[in-house]
PDB file of all heavy atoms in Angstrom:
ATOM      1  N   ASP A 175     -61.105  44.855 -93.906  1.00  0.00           N
ATOM      2  CA  ASP A 175     -60.712  46.167 -93.390  1.00  0.00           C
ATOM      3  C   ASP A 175     -59.213  46.137 -93.104  1.00  0.00           C
ATOM      4  O   ASP A 175     -58.481  45.326 -93.480  1.00  0.00           O
ATOM      5  CB  ASP A 175     -61.589  46.660 -92.252  1.00  0.00           C
ATOM      6  CG  ASP A 175     -61.480  45.772 -91.022  1.00  0.00           C
ATOM      7  OD1 ASP A 175     -60.610  44.906 -91.088  1.00  0.00           O
ATOM      8  OD2 ASP A 175     -62.167  46.069 -90.075  1.00  0.00           O
ATOM      9  N   SER A 176     -58.745  47.070 -92.326  1.00  0.00           N
ATOM     10  CA  SER A 176     -57.371  47.264 -92.071  1.00  0.00           C
ATOM     11  C   SER A 176     -56.706  46.180 -91.168  1.00  0.00           C
ATOM     12  O   SER A 176     -55.417  46.238 -91.025  1.00  0.00           O
ATOM     13  CB  SER A 176     -57.029  48.683 -91.556  1.00  0.00           C
ATOM     14  OG  SER A 176     -57.743  48.828 -90.342  1.00  0.00           O
ATOM     15  N   VAL A 177     -57.442  45.418 -90.524  1.00  0.00           N
ATOM     16  CA  VAL A 177     -56.881  44.482 -89.553  1.00  0.00           C
ATOM     17  C   VAL A 177     -56.836  43.009 -90.208  1.00  0.00           C
ATOM     18  O   VAL A 177     -57.896  42.420 -90.583  1.00  0.00           O
ATOM     19  CB  VAL A 177     -57.811  44.314 -88.290  1.00  0.00           C
ATOM     20  CG1 VAL A 177     -57.202  43.370 -87.330  1.00  0.00           C
ATOM     21  CG2 VAL A 177     -57.888  45.693 -87.622  1.00  0.00           C
ATOM     22  N   ALA A 178     -55.611  42.634 -90.406  1.00  0.00           N
ATOM     23  CA  ALA A 178     -55.363  41.272 -91.006  1.00  0.00           C
ATOM     24  C   ALA A 178     -55.326  40.244 -89.942  1.00  0.00           C
ATOM     25  O   ALA A 178     -54.820  40.480 -88.783  1.00  0.00           O
ATOM     26  CB  ALA A 178     -54.130  41.198 -91.833  1.00  0.00           C
ATOM     27  N   THR A 179     -55.806  38.998 -90.205  1.00  0.00           N
ATOM     28  CA  THR A 179     -55.696  37.922 -89.282  1.00  0.00           C
ATOM     29  C   THR A 179     -54.893  36.759 -89.918  1.00  0.00           C
ATOM     30  O   THR A 179     -54.698  36.749 -91.071  1.00  0.00           O
ATOM     31  CB  THR A 179     -57.095  37.429 -88.773  1.00  0.00           C
ATOM     32  OG1 THR A 179     -57.799  36.965 -89.938  1.00  0.00           O
ATOM     33  CG2 THR A 179     -57.792  38.571 -88.148  1.00  0.00           C
ATOM     34  N   ALA A 180     -54.519  35.791 -88.966  1.00  0.00           N
ATOM     35  CA  ALA A 180     -53.884  34.655 -89.567  1.00  0.00           C
ATOM     36  C   ALA A 180     -54.918  33.446 -89.513  1.00  0.00           C
ATOM     37  O   ALA A 180     -54.907  32.661 -88.590  1.00  0.00           O
ATOM     38  CB  ALA A 180     -52.654  34.269 -88.749  1.00  0.00           C
ATOM     39  N   THR A 181     -55.805  33.387 -90.513  1.00  0.00           N
ATOM     40  CA  THR A 181     -56.887  32.479 -90.475  1.00  0.00           C
ATOM     41  C   THR A 181     -56.428  31.121 -91.038  1.00  0.00           C
ATOM     42  O   THR A 181     -55.896  31.108 -92.198  1.00  0.00           O
ATOM     43  CB  THR A 181     -58.166  32.960 -91.179  1.00  0.00           C
ATOM     44  OG1 THR A 181     -58.459  34.214 -90.637  1.00  0.00           O
ATOM     45  CG2 THR A 181     -59.254  32.052 -90.993  1.00  0.00           C
ATOM     46  N   ALA A 182     -56.697  30.017 -90.386  1.00  0.00           N
ATOM     47  CA  ALA A 182     -56.242  28.729 -90.799  1.00  0.00           C
ATOM     48  C   ALA A 182     -57.303  27.683 -91.213  1.00  0.00           C
ATOM     49  O   ALA A 182     -57.070  26.715 -91.796  1.00  0.00           O
ATOM     50  CB  ALA A 182     -55.309  28.116 -89.740  1.00  0.00           C
ATOM     51  N   GLY A 183     -58.496  27.978 -90.792  1.00  0.00           N
ATOM     52  CA  GLY A 183     -59.577  27.014 -91.058  1.00  0.00           C
ATOM     53  C   GLY A 183     -60.856  27.654 -91.332  1.00  0.00           C
ATOM     54  O   GLY A 183     -61.189  28.625 -90.765  1.00  0.00           O
ATOM     55  N   VAL A 184     -61.655  26.999 -92.145  1.00  0.00           N
ATOM     56  CA  VAL A 184     -63.015  27.534 -92.571  1.00  0.00           C
ATOM     57  C   VAL A 184     -64.081  26.380 -92.259  1.00  0.00           C
ATOM     58  O   VAL A 184     -63.916  25.228 -92.741  1.00  0.00           O
ATOM     59  CB  VAL A 184     -63.123  27.872 -94.037  1.00  0.00           C
ATOM     60  CG1 VAL A 184     -64.549  28.223 -94.483  1.00  0.00           C
ATOM     61  CG2 VAL A 184     -62.152  28.984 -94.338  1.00  0.00           C
ATOM     62  N   ILE A 185     -65.121  26.691 -91.585  1.00  0.00           N
ATOM     63  CA  ILE A 185     -66.217  25.778 -91.356  1.00  0.00           C
ATOM     64  C   ILE A 185     -67.451  26.551 -91.785  1.00  0.00           C
ATOM     65  O   ILE A 185     -67.781  27.562 -91.249  1.00  0.00           O
ATOM     66  CB  ILE A 185     -66.303  25.319 -89.917  1.00  0.00           C
ATOM     67  CG1 ILE A 185     -65.179  24.319 -89.707  1.00  0.00           C
ATOM     68  CG2 ILE A 185     -67.645  24.612 -89.703  1.00  0.00           C
ATOM     69  CD1 ILE A 185     -65.097  23.919 -88.237  1.00  0.00           C
ATOM     70  N   TRP A 186     -68.353  25.889 -92.571  1.00  0.00           N
ATOM     71  CA  TRP A 186     -69.674  26.297 -92.866  1.00  0.00           C
ATOM     72  C   TRP A 186     -70.673  25.385 -92.109  1.00  0.00           C
ATOM     73  O   TRP A 186     -70.582  24.094 -92.169  1.00  0.00           O
ATOM     74  CB  TRP A 186     -70.036  26.212 -94.284  1.00  0.00           C
ATOM     75  CG  TRP A 186     -69.425  27.217 -95.210  1.00  0.00           C
ATOM     76  CD1 TRP A 186     -68.415  27.017 -96.034  1.00  0.00           C
ATOM     77  CD2 TRP A 186     -69.731  28.660 -95.346  1.00  0.00           C
ATOM     78  NE1 TRP A 186     -68.037  28.274 -96.727  1.00  0.00           N
ATOM     79  CE2 TRP A 186     -68.841  29.198 -96.273  1.00  0.00           C
ATOM     80  CE3 TRP A 186     -70.618  29.464 -94.689  1.00  0.00           C
ATOM     81  CZ2 TRP A 186     -68.913  30.540 -96.646  1.00  0.00           C
ATOM     82  CZ3 TRP A 186     -70.713  30.750 -95.117  1.00  0.00           C
ATOM     83  CH2 TRP A 186     -69.814  31.354 -95.973  1.00  0.00           C
ATOM     84  N   ALA A 187     -71.515  25.886 -91.306  1.00  0.00           N
ATOM     85  CA  ALA A 187     -72.546  25.127 -90.549  1.00  0.00           C
ATOM     86  C   ALA A 187     -73.670  26.111 -90.089  1.00  0.00           C
ATOM     87  O   ALA A 187     -73.477  27.292 -90.006  1.00  0.00           O
ATOM     88  CB  ALA A 187     -71.996  24.483 -89.369  1.00  0.00           C
ATOM     89  N   ASP A 188     -74.836  25.621 -89.751  1.00  0.00           N
ATOM     90  CA  ASP A 188     -75.905  26.426 -89.243  1.00  0.00           C
ATOM     91  C   ASP A 188     -75.954  26.269 -87.667  1.00  0.00           C
ATOM     92  O   ASP A 188     -76.554  25.289 -87.175  1.00  0.00           O
ATOM     93  CB  ASP A 188     -77.202  26.033 -89.859  1.00  0.00           C
ATOM     94  CG  ASP A 188     -78.369  26.949 -89.393  1.00  0.00           C
ATOM     95  OD1 ASP A 188     -78.118  27.770 -88.600  1.00  0.00           O
ATOM     96  OD2 ASP A 188     -79.528  26.713 -89.878  1.00  0.00           O
ATOM     97  N   PHE A 189     -75.068  27.030 -87.055  1.00  0.00           N
ATOM     98  CA  PHE A 189     -74.926  26.835 -85.518  1.00  0.00           C
ATOM     99  C   PHE A 189     -76.176  27.168 -84.776  1.00  0.00           C
ATOM    100  O   PHE A 189     -76.302  26.626 -83.658  1.00  0.00           O
ATOM    101  CB  PHE A 189     -73.760  27.661 -85.120  1.00  0.00           C
ATOM    102  CG  PHE A 189     -72.428  27.122 -85.573  1.00  0.00           C
ATOM    103  CD1 PHE A 189     -71.849  27.638 -86.730  1.00  0.00           C
ATOM    104  CD2 PHE A 189     -71.785  26.063 -84.846  1.00  0.00           C
ATOM    105  CE1 PHE A 189     -70.588  27.208 -87.138  1.00  0.00           C
ATOM    106  CE2 PHE A 189     -70.608  25.638 -85.277  1.00  0.00           C
ATOM    107  CZ  PHE A 189     -70.010  26.143 -86.522  1.00  0.00           C
TER     108      PHE A 189
END
Side-chain angles (χ1 to χ4, degrees):
D175 65 5
S176 59
V177 180
T179 61
T181 306
V184 175
I185 287 175
W186 289 105
D188 186 358
F189 289 96

